[in-house]
Amino acid sequence: MPKTQIPQTLTGLARVLAKHGERASVVASADATKTVSNRVLINVGRIRGFDNVSSRGAKVKIGAGAHFGEVLRQVKGENGLLKQAISMMANPLVRNRVTVFAALLLDSHYFDLATALVNLGATVRVQSLTGNQTIPIKEFLMAAASGLNPGEFPSSVEFTKLDPKWRVGFFRVNPGGGRPTVSASVKTRLRRNVVMDSEIIVSSSTVIPVHAPAASRALNRKPLNDKNVKMVAAVAAVELLEMAELEADAYEQSLIEVAVSRAIRRVNEAPIPA
């Protein structure tokens, strides 16, 4: 049986993570009895507030220990973006086991949640051995890609509620065969089916979630029709491959085009929450 650690505070969790490094597996209290060879289980169920989901004024705050199921039940004000993402990434059998903490690990099967969080302009509260700081999620993802310091981890994410006029869409492509997923998230306003102020975020197999400015500009002030959707998806694919400094890759390009085009189409499919 693996050894189980049960920290009582965020600082205590930072100490345990720093001590055990890559051998550490963070689990919720319900999962604390499972066996994982050569791993140190860290049961975070006793850390007060770590799994809280709260809404105060214009702000939504999600503790990193919160399960996807809890986010689906409680989060409002994101106009359905996180609900689309979670519903696509995790089936009902696992939603009450997957945490936001786990989803923000770069090698997670659920990392595409970060694509939606970037689109929401979220910030991440990063806990360390010596304290904490709040930074934009883009900065956190860059730091995570470079390697967080021992003991550092995301303790919560926060974003400002969207005005109801914003329309959102999310789509994820899972090519299988061990290849990383590709996801796209879109936020825009519609005026008589004409796109205004669009923002497209894309995560490919080689690039963490990034803003696709050329694709966003290409969609802006255009009618939302099949011709324009296909055009913008092609622009996004070329743009992402250039960001990754890769030569033309027909398969990767097709994955990005599918993710972007379907995310844009979901803008019209998803109703605006009351």
Side-chain angles (χ1 to χ4, degrees):
M1 292 287 290
K3 185 177 181 181
T4 301
Q5 302 288 322
I6 309 177
Q8 307 292 315
T9 64
L10 293 175
T11 303
L13 175 55
R15 285 196 294 266
V16 176
L17 288 172
K19 179 179 179 180
H20 296 287
E22 295 183 357
R23 292 186 60 230
S25 289
V26 173
V27 298
S29 55
D31 301 322
T33 57
K34 69 180 182 180
T35 60
V36 182
S37 179
N38 298 320
R39 305 291 291 180
V40 176
L41 297 187
I42 305 175
N43 176 0
V44 296
R46 295 186 186 177
I47 301 178
R48 185 176 181 181
F50 193 47
D51 60 352
N52 282 358
V53 177
S54 63
S55 177
R56 293 185 180 181
K59 297 289 186 179
V60 175
K61 183 176 181 180
I62 306 172
H67 298 98
F68 277 6
E70 195 68 15
V71 175
L72 279 177
R73 287 188 289 271
Q74 293 202 43
V75 169
K76 296 178 175 62
E78 34 69 88
N79 294 9
L81 185 57
L82 294 181
K83 297 179 188 298
Q84 287 186 46
I86 290 173
S87 297
M88 182 164 289
M89 288 187 296
N91 67 54
L93 296 177
V94 301
R95 289 174 192 165
N96 288 332
R97 299 181 64 181
V98 181
T99 63
V100 173
F101 180 100
L104 290 179
L105 300 175
L106 267 64
D107 59 352
S108 170
H109 296 300
Y110 309 97
F111 180 68
D112 293 302
L113 182 70
T115 306
L117 290 171
V118 170
N119 213 181
L120 290 170
T123 58
V124 179
R125 195 167 188 83
V126 182
Q127 181 70 41
S128 69
L129 292 168
T130 57
N132 58 70
Q133 61 174 328
T134 299
I135 59 176
I137 189 168
K138 292 180 181 179
E139 290 185 20
F140 170 77
L141 294 175
M142 290 297 294
S146 300
L148 297 173
N149 294 324
E152 283 188 334
F153 67 92
S155 63
S156 64
V157 296
E158 185 174 307
F159 60 87
T160 302
K161 294 179 181 178
L162 294 179
D163 185 289
K165 292 181 180 179
W166 284 105
R167 302 299 297 266
V168 295
F170 176 92
F171 199 79
R172 175 188 193 236
V173 180
N174 186 354
R179 291 180 65 100
T181 56
V182 175
S183 58
S185 180
V186 179
K187 180 177 70 176
T188 188
R189 301 176 192 267
L190 290 180
R191 184 177 298 170
R192 294 187 178 181
N193 207 44
V194 174
V195 174
M196 309 295 291
D197 304 319
S198 61
E199 182 178 74
I200 300 173
I201 307 297
V202 185
S203 175
S204 76
S205 63
T206 55
V207 177
I208 60 177
V210 293
H211 179 218
S216 299
R217 289 193 299 269
L219 181 61
N220 201 30
R221 298 186 180 277
K222 299 286 196 313
L224 195 58
N225 55 38
D226 284 345
K227 177 182 176 181
N228 288 329
V229 169
K230 291 179 181 178
M231 177 271 295
V232 171
V235 170
V238 172
E239 185 175 16
L240 263 289
L241 291 175
E242 289 179 350
M243 286 183 186
E245 299 181 348
L246 295 176
E247 296 181 2
D249 181 328
Y251 184 62
E252 179 80 0
Q253 185 168 337
S254 68
L255 295 178
I256 296 171
E257 288 182 2
V258 169
V260 172
S261 62
R262 291 297 298 273
I264 295 173
R265 288 188 172 94
R266 294 197 81 185
V267 166
N268 263 342
E269 296 173 6
I272 300 176

